[in-house]
Amino acid sequence: SSELTQDPAVSVALGQTVRITCQGGSLRRSYASWYQQKPGQAPVLLIFGKNIRPSGIPDRFSGSSSGDTTSLTITGAQAEDEADYHCHCRGNNHMVFGGGTKLTVL
Amino acid sequence: QVQLVQSGAEVKKPGASVKVSCKASGYRFIAYYIHWVRQAPGQGLEWMGDINTNSGDTNFAQKFQGRVTMTRDTSINTVSMDLSGLKSDDSAIYFCAKSKSYCSDGICYHYFDYWGQGTLVTVSS
């Protein structure tokens, strides 16, 4: 079982805002990072640290955290945002991923 | 530009071993750890372990202890992952990923900034 818990599936209407959450005790000691993965592709880094986006990631993606929960927010979801989203952080001497959230854009 | 290029797909029988390689380019190879992450069909990402590309030291998830080895060859900027005693549930896509880490004011962050394209390993009799 994963030490980070994500909802398996979330949906959002085109252009609306959606929040994807990730919960786990390790998040109290380490910032999470978020990855987007489309079918047949490798994950792509979306957010790391205290809401830092790598170059090329649209600013509609943002991250936040509070206690043992971290969130990825997509403000104005686009059709191309339909994908799997994975959270990650460091546990005790190991790395851990959430189970992933499948986002459907309606 | 940073690239991680993995070896090709493999088909193995149960009980066999598989070796997947990951060739890095575009950055100073020994400055960053390489991790291996796998993804079974329709499942999430699973961290397997990492290798310090400078020292060669490794750290594995408990689940894979005794079955996995990771090595690096600094002359060709390549990391390899060997998994032995293959079972059908080892069928998955295996990714290598370059990591970065930073700690400040007691809070740390770790992330994977570049990933290989993935290698499909199929275990079937």
Side-chain angles (χ1 to χ4, degrees):
Chain A
S1 63
S2 174
E3 297 172 36
L4 295 178
T5 301
Q6 296 182 243
D7 290 329
V10 171
S11 62
V12 61
L14 185 67
Q16 296 304 300
T17 295
V18 62
R19 176 174 290 182
I20 298 170
T21 61
C22 172
Q23 184 176 25
S26 298
L27 295 171
R28 295 185 183 277
R29 300 179 297 277
S30 177
Y31 284 114
S33 56
W34 286 94
Y35 303 85
Q36 179 192 67
Q37 187 181 28
K38 296 184 178 180
Q41 297 183 19
V44 172
L45 177 65
L46 284 179
I47 297 284
F48 67 95
K50 206 170 185 180
N51 190 24
I52 302 170
R53 281 176 289 105
S55 173
I57 300 300
D59 61 6
R60 64 178 179 273
F61 293 94
S62 62
S64 61
S65 65
S66 177
D68 68 350
T69 300
T70 188
S71 301
L72 172 71
T73 299
I74 308 174
T75 304
Q78 303 299 302
E80 61 264 32
D81 298 336
E82 186 160 292
D84 293 329
Y85 292 85
H86 307 273
C87 63
H88 150 261
C89 77
R90 182 174 176 85
N92 291 325
N93 200 35
H94 65 283
M95 299 291 190
V96 62
F97 288 94
T101 297
K102 182 175 182 59
L103 177 68
T104 299
V105 180
L106 304 172
Chain B
Q1 74 283 20
V2 174
Q3 281 193 303
L4 298 175
V5 179
Q6 298 183 221
S7 51
E10 302 268 8
V11 179
K12 296 291 183 181
K13 294 194 181 303
S17 297
V18 68
K19 183 171 186 172
V20 182
S21 66
C22 172
K23 183 172 176 60
S25 61
Y27 70 97
R28 188 168 174 248
F29 177 70
I30 60 172
Y32 301 98
Y33 282 55
I34 292 288
H35 299 247
W36 289 91
V37 176
R38 77 178 187 178
Q39 186 172 38
Q43 302 300 308
L45 301 173
E46 181 177 31
W47 181 78
M48 299 179 67
D50 61 49
I51 182 167
N52 179 325
T53 51
N54 186 29
S55 66
D57 289 345
T58 54
N59 179 35
F60 304 130
Q62 189 170 10
K63 174 178 180 177
F64 300 101
Q65 297 264 4
R67 269 211 312 145
V68 68
T69 57
M70 295 178 188
T71 57
R72 94 288 189 223
D73 185 336
T74 58
S75 69
I76 56 171
N77 290 357
T78 297
V79 170
S80 296
M81 185 277 298
D82 281 81
L83 187 63
S84 63
L86 290 171
K87 301 165 283 188
S88 58
D89 61 4
D90 289 317
S91 294
I93 298 174
Y94 289 75
F95 295 99
C96 61
K98 169 182 168 287
S99 71
K100 296 183 86 170
S101 299
Y102 178 76
C103 295
S104 174
D105 296 330
I107 300 290
C108 297
Y109 56 90
H110 312 266
Y111 58 99
F112 303 111
D113 55 350
Y114 290 94
W115 295 69
Q117 83 274 20
T119 296
L120 176 63
V121 174
T122 303
V123 183
S124 174
S125 54

